[in-house]
Amino acid sequence: RRHFVQRSRSAGGLWMMAQHDLFALIRQMREVMKQAGEDGAQAPAAFDEKKWKELDIWEDGEKPSLSNLQSMEEARRVYVDDDLLRRFLVARNMNVQKASRMLIDAQGWRIKNAVKVFMAASMDVSSAEYPPVDAEEEVYRALCPHAVIGKCKQHRPIYWEKTGLIRVNKLLQHLTPKKLVKRHVRHMEYLTHLMRKNAAAQVKGIIHKKCGIADEQIVSIIVAMASPDYLKQVVVMDLEGLSYAPDSQGISIFRSCMKIDQNFYPERLGVCFIINAPWLFTGVWAMVRHFLDPKTQQKFRIIGSGYKDELSKAIDADNILECYGGTLKAPGKFTVYGEKEKTEILSAFTKSKKPKSSVVKDEKDNGV
């Protein structure tokens, strides 16, 4: 580490690795976690299930039937590292006890909800098939134009969403609130994977080019410790078409997602651009901002139709979608379908979920 700091300083500096106070706090936090049982094969005794029950993401009877030990093994495999400890410390203003309490809760929630299991933790994340296809993908394709594509100038992955066109009441005709929250967790897991992938590529490039270090083992250690600023996401939410009618169900689901992000995925948001915000959104924002802690509130940028200059400050043109003034072609998931096409997609989805005997009966009833 000392060798890297000396080399990186002479090369203009990559990250101030010699933050002895931070490393001391990380060591202290590891000791607290060890005493809490996080080093063993049993679930943390200090986890309060009742406190976080409202954030369960599985419907009754749907959760995979795995033992706590196996589920915990999956949760730990890629989750606990120095970056994670650093993020939880930052989220709790470097208070070791509070950060440890927060991490114990996060680990307990992940284990209880088998997060790594439904994301297919055993799958090679370098595979083109990661993450596995969501069973409800067709519903989101029809009703939620969105995409994870491009990188900002800080090499953070970008999540784009036409939020104003999403009608939660229509989604809930096909999915439950828990499924919508689970979908959000799925995206957070996938985006975390992309953050690590982008950070590793960027930091490795600088290390090889600026510092002349080629040893992969040394490089992997440096990447894990030197890239916290890359390990965040950029979110762009387009409110064009936003409904004027308040949606209590939508606000409730948003609140659950924000609680999950703030408590279990701290320090993952770089900035959120809310564009094409109509005047009525001022009232909505005044209500939902209370779900966010003060630090998170500062990461939101509320912009009207004149958003192009703001986006271009953070994102190069070749990473901005064409519909927002850039040159990046939007993927199929960002397609806005007409009512007829939506109906066809959703009808096919509903049919695919019915038992085969029910489908045959429906076809007979319809004279097919």
Side-chain angles (χ1 to χ4, degrees), residues 62-78:
E62 279 196 351
K63 183 179 173 183
S65 56
L66 295 171
S67 68
N68 285 338
L69 176 60
Q70 183 180 353
S71 180
M72 191 159 187
E73 187 105 359
E74 296 289 349
R76 277 209 180 91
R77 183 180 302 175
V78 295

Side-chain angles (χ1 to χ4, degrees), residues 128-333:
E129 297 178 1
Y130 183 87
V133 176
D134 191 333
E136 285 86 28
E137 191 64 46
E138 289 301 282
V139 177
Y140 296 107
R141 183 167 73 91
L143 300 177
C144 300
H146 68 285
V148 178
I149 187 171
K151 293 181 286 188
C152 74
K153 293 179 180 180
Q154 291 176 281
H155 300 271
R156 298 165 173 173
I158 307 173
Y159 173 74
W160 306 82
E161 181 181 275
K162 287 187 175 292
T163 314
L165 299 182
I166 297 173
R167 300 293 181 263
V168 175
N169 63 325
K170 290 188 177 181
L171 277 170
L172 293 177
Q173 292 174 15
H174 303 275
L175 305 171
T176 64
K178 281 190 177 181
K179 285 185 180 292
L180 296 180
V181 175
K182 183 180 172 186
R183 173 71 173 200
H184 177 74
V185 172
R186 178 189 182 85
H187 263 287
M188 289 304 298
E189 289 291 306
Y190 178 51
L191 282 161
T192 298
H193 160 67
L194 288 183
M195 292 173 206
R196 291 180 179 277
K197 184 177 178 181
N198 292 350
Q202 179 66 7
V203 176
K204 280 181 181 179
I206 295 174
I207 291 170
H208 289 312
K209 184 177 179 180
K210 299 288 187 180
C211 307
I213 299 174
D215 187 300
E216 286 301 317
Q217 187 174 3
I218 295 175
V219 169
S220 64
I221 293 172
I222 294 169
V223 166
M225 301 172 68
S227 53
D229 201 46
Y230 298 127
L231 296 171
K232 297 177 186 288
Q233 64 170 316
V234 173
V235 176
V236 181
M237 303 173 75
D238 181 1
L239 298 191
E240 185 175 3
L242 186 70
S243 171
Y244 282 70
D247 190 331
S248 59
Q249 289 179 305
I251 291 173
S252 176
I253 291 167
F254 174 80
R255 180 174 178 269
S256 295
C257 292
M258 291 301 98
K259 286 187 73 172
I260 285 174
D261 288 358
Q262 291 181 139
N263 289 285
F264 308 142
Y265 297 92
E267 295 298 308
R268 283 304 192 200
L269 178 63
V271 60
C272 178
F273 294 101
I274 298 182
I275 64 174
N276 286 320
W279 65 268
L280 69 91
F281 184 70
T282 305
V284 177
W285 176 245
M287 184 174 7
V288 302
R289 67 182 298 177
H290 296 298
F291 303 151
L292 310 172
D293 64 48
K295 283 185 180 178
T296 305
Q297 288 181 29
Q298 293 174 9
K299 297 178 181 179
F300 280 72
R301 307 283 185 270
I302 315 296
I303 314 168
S305 57
Y307 56 80
K308 291 183 181 179
D309 287 344
E310 281 295 314
L311 286 185
S312 63
K313 290 177 184 177
I315 311 169
D316 289 325
D318 58 352
N319 279 285
I320 297 176
L321 295 178
E322 288 179 331
C323 55
Y324 299 122
T327 60
L328 183 63
K329 290 190 177 298
K333 285 185 177 182

